[in-house]
Amino acid sequence: RPRTESRVLDSNPVRGVPGARQSVSTSRSLLPREHGAYAELAFPLATGLAAGRPGVAAIAFAVSAVALFLAHEPAAVLAGRRGDRLRRELAVAARSRLRWLVAGGLGCAILGFVLATPPARLAALVPAALALALLPALIRGQVKTLGAELLVVAHFSTTLLPVALAGGAGWGFAWAATGVWFVSFTLGTVAVHGIKDTHKRASTAGGLGLAVPVLAIAAAGFGVLGAVIGRLPWAVGLALVPPALAVLVIWALRVHPRRLKRVGWSLVTANVVTLGLLLAG
């Protein structure tokens, strides 16, 4: 055996396991590629679970949201939106995973709905309605537009509602926290689109590049003013400040589109602070 081949095989951690390399590649290929969406789903669900004492219903709602989110990638592969090659190579695995994820997600949703309190059942209809509204864009593969992404943000933010209410949280906190996450993720989404728009225009004189600081200042001002005059709890009002500041810094630095990964991590850091403020309140 050639020495170079031996070195390659010896460096492979899954050497000697039949089909291991293929299974690892398949697993990675069938995970959602929209990395920002992980945070947009995780933070509202974490808030909802930590807001009360989650039982079977709350956990079932959360698992349902995660399963249906994970189902998007195998559906995209089967629809050919990831290329004909991946569709040919992963068709069997994608079809199987899609079947299990959809069945599990709908099953958990039904279980949560049956076991939840009436307020939580009513709240579960909100993300469900937004998911239905998003379905045409998913079918057409047009989820990269600003409008579709804001609809995704609304859907992910409202997954907090049934989870929190099923765990015993109050309506006031659940809706306030949902609003905070919607505003936070909207700022991040507009900021990313603004970076791309500004790069195309080579100027911040118009378009989304100008909208970014206006929205960020408005969000922070609304949060602080609402807390000062007593319209918002201090924790909720201050929770709007970290994402607004992060977006303002990103806009001021005029980040290049090639640095979007750093932008994403900056927004996640701000979201961690927001989560801490919400739970502290």
Side-chain angles (χ1 to χ4, degrees):
R1 180 186 302 177
R3 182 174 298 176
T4 54
E5 180 184 354
S6 176
R7 289 178 180 174
V8 172
L9 290 177
D10 289 341
S11 65
N12 185 0
V14 293
R15 174 173 58 90
V17 181
R21 182 180 299 175
Q22 181 181 359
S23 64
V24 171
S25 176
T26 300
S27 177
R28 290 176 179 174
S29 299
L30 292 177
L31 289 176
R33 299 184 181 184
E34 295 79 7
H35 297 132
Y38 287 88
E40 291 176 358
L41 178 63
F43 281 106
L45 290 181
T47 305
L49 290 171
R53 297 180 178 179
V56 176
I59 294 173
F61 280 134
V63 171
S64 172
V66 172
L68 295 177
F69 164 65
L70 293 176
H72 173 259
E73 188 61 26
V77 169
L78 289 173
R81 290 197 291 274
R82 303 308 188 202
D84 292 335
R85 180 180 176 182
L86 273 184
R87 181 171 58 180
R88 290 193 304 268
E89 293 178 352
L90 303 179
V92 175
R95 192 173 293 110
S96 175
R97 182 171 296 191
L98 179 62
R99 186 182 302 117
W100 281 104
L101 287 172
V102 171
L106 293 179
C108 286
I110 293 172
L111 177 63
F113 195 85
V114 170
L115 297 179
T117 59
R121 293 177 185 174
L122 183 62
L125 299 178
V126 179
L130 289 169
L132 290 176
L134 185 62
L135 196 57
L138 290 172
I139 293 174
R140 293 193 300 266
Q142 298 176 346
V143 293
K144 294 297 185 180
T145 64
L146 179 59
E149 288 189 10
L150 292 181
L151 194 55
V152 170
V153 163
H155 167 67
F156 283 156
S157 300
T158 55
T159 58
L160 181 155
L161 292 172
V163 175
L165 293 174
W171 269 101
F173 174 82
W175 277 106
T178 297
V180 167
W181 288 124
F182 175 73
V183 171
S184 174
F185 297 145
T186 295
L187 289 176
T189 300
V190 174
V192 170
H193 280 266
I195 289 172
K196 298 176 182 178
D197 183 66
T198 298
H199 180 69
K200 292 178 181 178
R201 295 169 177 264
S203 170
T204 57
L208 286 175
L210 181 61
V212 170
V214 173
L215 292 175
I217 293 172
F222 175 80
V224 173
L225 181 61
V228 169
I229 65 177
R231 294 291 184 178
L232 293 174
W234 273 101
V236 173
L238 293 180
L240 290 170
V241 176
L245 288 178
V247 166
L248 279 175
V249 171
I250 291 168
W251 173 81
L253 294 177
R254 299 190 65 180
V255 179
H256 194 276
R258 294 175 183 173
R259 303 288 191 272
L260 285 180
K261 182 176 290 187
R262 294 183 182 179
V263 170
W265 282 113
S266 300
L267 294 174
V268 167
T269 302
N271 290 335
V272 170
V273 179
T274 293
L275 176 62
L277 289 170
L278 284 175
L279 297 183

